[in-house]
Amino acid sequence: MKLNSVRRGGKWRPIVAGVVAAMIMLGGTACTPGAPASESTGTAAPSRTSPAPSAAPTSTAPVVDGFPDELQGKWCADDGSVCFSASELLAEHPQAFLQSADPSYTVKGATDFSICLSPDLSADTCTMAASMFLRYFPEGLKWDCARFAEEGRLSGFTSCRADTVVAHDMKKERLIILPNHQQDTQYIDSVPMYRR
């Protein structure tokens, strides 16, 4: 695989990156606009027809072809306010596919994913508004929004907006939905979801 490209139809094509002030947040099976966010991703990932993941997730949700183990199953916040399921996502957006998977440059040890909800630029690319960005934290990986901001690890954000900060249970693997765009100097944190 090549950095900053995606393989579709046997050809390597560049991933389109940009900033649009739109956030797509999945809760249950509905996508609704949400809060702003910070970064996007851009390395190669499996195509829509890639084989199923090598290991079955612990969740009871069905395994979805083309999505890695980290995105399999049903993930929900402790209070149920936000959920993610690849099978529910595809039920609502049948053309959705995993566009990229990258090691996170913000959180060492995490993985950032980009999902194209609808290929609105070409057969294999989409705009920022038609994208969803996720970050997977393996068990034990730390997240401390305020500290990361103070240390300059959040791409120019100097603090976290206090009303958005939610503590992570680091004893569990976690998944967050990243906003598609953030602005100003306060970082808007994302609610951690845990596999059910």
Side-chain angles (χ1 to χ4, degrees), residues 21-158:
M23 166 57 185
I24 307 230
M25 185 169 263
L26 186 67
T29 60
C31 285
T32 57
S38 97
E39 64 273 329
S40 61
T41 59
T43 305
S47 70
R48 291 183 244 193
T49 58
S50 64
S54 57
T58 56
S59 174
T60 57
V63 173
V64 178
D65 288 349
F67 286 80
D69 293 344
E70 294 90 343
L71 300 182
Q72 295 292 335
K74 176 98 173 187
W75 297 82
C76 286
D78 283 337
D79 65 1
S81 62
V82 179
C83 291
F84 173 83
S85 161
S87 61
E88 291 176 8
L89 177 77
L90 289 174
E92 187 163 337
H93 302 278
Q95 294 181 322
F97 60 92
L98 182 68
Q99 183 165 292
S100 66
D102 299 294
S104 174
Y105 67 86
T106 301
V107 185
K108 302 279 189 231
T111 304
D112 290 345
F113 297 97
S114 170
I115 295 174
C116 190
L117 299 172
S118 176
D120 59 352
L121 284 178
S122 69
D124 55 11
T125 57
C126 56
T127 60
M128 194 67 111
S131 298
M132 173 183 273
F133 301 99
L134 301 149
R135 177 171 293 147
Y136 170 81
F137 294 79
E139 181 182 331
L141 187 63
K142 186 172 185 174
W143 170 252
D144 184 333
C145 192
R147 182 174 167 201
F148 281 27
E150 287 172 11
E151 294 174 354
R153 295 165 61 180
L154 298 180
S155 304
F157 295 95
T158 57

